[in-house]
Amino acid sequence: MKKSLLLLFLVVILATLPLITQQGTEFGGADGEAEEAITKIHPEYKPWFNSIWEPPGAETESLLFALQAAIGAGFIGYFIGVMRQRNKQTKLELAEKSKHVTH
């Protein structure tokens, strides 16, 4: 448990350190490209809503997106691991029951 908490703490530190140290960075992504293309096609277009919070830089936005993807992948991996372990446990229990029935 302590090892897991330490690893989680390290992940949080590694994720937030660039947010603190890299202020005002620029990194274009698909959202910016899409907005530019829409503006070229339809200059009068108005967005339906605005963001609640704008990250300090596009690089920060990319970092947050990558962190979200990593957390999602970790959750999916954990879920698959739990299901595999449950399946193994069920097979072992069935093998034990069949061993007791045949003897």
Side-chain angles (χ1 to χ4, degrees):
M1 181 72 175
K2 285 184 181 181
K3 191 175 184 180
S4 296
L5 288 175
L6 178 64
L7 288 173
L8 179 64
F9 179 72
L10 284 172
V11 167
V12 169
I13 292 297
L14 288 173
T16 57
L17 189 63
L19 291 173
I20 297 166
T21 60
Q22 300 295 321
Q23 297 286 328
T25 57
E26 286 299 321
F27 182 80
D31 291 346
E33 295 290 325
E35 184 178 345
E36 191 176 307
I38 291 169
T39 305
K40 281 182 185 177
I41 295 169
H42 189 353
E44 300 85 33
Y45 175 77
K46 298 284 185 223
W48 292 357
F49 57 89
N50 292 324
S51 299
I52 296 172
W53 174 73
E54 285 288 329
E59 188 73 29
T60 305
E61 188 175 345
S62 295
L63 173 71
L64 292 173
F65 182 75
L67 183 62
Q68 178 184 356
I71 290 170
F75 177 78
I76 290 169
Y78 176 79
F79 179 76
I80 290 172
V82 166
M83 296 310 289
R84 288 188 68 188
Q85 186 61 34
R86 213 179 264 176
N87 191 19
K88 283 182 185 178
Q89 190 66 31
T90 303
K91 285 181 181 178
L92 283 173
E93 289 172 0
L94 287 174
E96 285 294 319
K97 283 182 183 179
S98 67
K99 193 185 285 186
H100 291 298
V101 171
T102 57
H103 292 278

